[in-house]
Amino acid sequence: MGSNTIVGVLFQERTSQVIPPYFNGQYFSHWKVRMKTYAKSYDIKVWRVIKKGDLPKPPSNKDKTIEGQVNAKAKKNLLYNSISTEEYEKIQSCKTAKEMLDKLEVTYEGTNKVKKTRIILLVHD
C-alpha cells in the first residue's frame, strides 16, 4: 500500500511527453532524474544549460544570444512550469536555470559537505 502511494504522488497524472514532470516539494531525487530525462529529450542544450550553466564555448556573439535563448527556454518552459507555487517562491529570484536547480538541490539534498556527512553516518551505523 505504501509503495502505491509513492507512485501516485510521483506521477500525479502529469506523465506526458509535452508537460514536464511536476515537483511539489516531495521526492526531489525522483523528480530530478525524471526532469533530466525530460529536459534531454526536449533539447540536449537545455539540459546542458540547466546542469552546467552554459553551452560549449561560443565562437561568436550570435552563439551567446542562442545560449541566452536556451536558458530562457530552460527557465520558463521547463523549470517554472514543473514546480508548485511553494517551490517557485524558493527560486524566483534566480537569474539562470542552473541557479534554480542548484537552489533546489541544496534545499532538498544539502550541500556536498552535508551529503558526505550523511554517507559517513550511514556507513558507520
Side-chain angles (χ1 to χ4, degrees), residues 4 31 48 52-53 61-62 64 70 72-73 83 98 113 123-124:
N4 289 339
W31 174 82
R48 165 90 187 209
K52 304 269 187 195
N61 285 338
K62 178 185 172 197
K64 201 66 171 159
V70 171
K73 253 193 222 183
I83 58 174
K98 179 175 180 11
K113 186 176 180 179
V123 169
H124 292 294

Side-chain angles (χ1 to χ4, degrees), residues 9-11 13 24 27-28 30 32 40 42 44-45 48 57 70 72 78 80 84 86 89 92 97 109:
V9 169
L10 288 175
F11 292 104
E13 299 181 32
N24 66 358
Y27 309 106
F28 178 75
H30 294 279
K32 189 168 87 169
K40 283 182 168 184
Y42 180 82
I44 193 71
K45 292 179 287 193
R48 165 90 187 209
K57 299 274 189 238
V70 171
L78 297 186
Y80 283 147
S84 68
E86 292 80 17
E89 290 174 3
Q92 68 184 352
E109 296 177 337

Side-chain angles (χ1 to χ4, degrees), residues 6 9 39 41 52-53 55 61 69 73 79-80 103-104 107-108 113 116-117 119:
I6 291 172
V9 169
S41 70
K52 304 269 187 195
L55 294 174
N61 285 338
Q69 291 169 342
K73 253 193 222 183
L79 294 173
Y80 283 147
K103 178 89 172 197
L104 290 171
T107 300
Y108 290 98
K113 186 176 180 179
K116 288 176 186 175
T117 302
I119 291 170

Side-chain angles (χ1 to χ4, degrees), residues 18-65:
V18 180
I19 300 170
Y22 185 72
F23 179 60
N24 66 358
Q26 296 181 350
Y27 309 106
F28 178 75
S29 61
H30 294 279
W31 174 82
K32 189 168 87 169
V33 169
R34 291 174 55 227
M35 178 54 84
K36 176 181 178 180
T37 303
Y38 180 86
K40 283 182 168 184
S41 70
Y42 180 82
D43 183 341
I44 193 71
K45 292 179 287 193
V46 167
W47 178 248
R48 165 90 187 209
V49 165
I50 291 171
K51 192 62 183 164
K52 304 269 187 195
D54 63 3
L55 294 174
K57 299 274 189 238
S60 70
N61 285 338
K62 178 185 172 197
D63 291 333
K64 201 66 171 159
T65 301

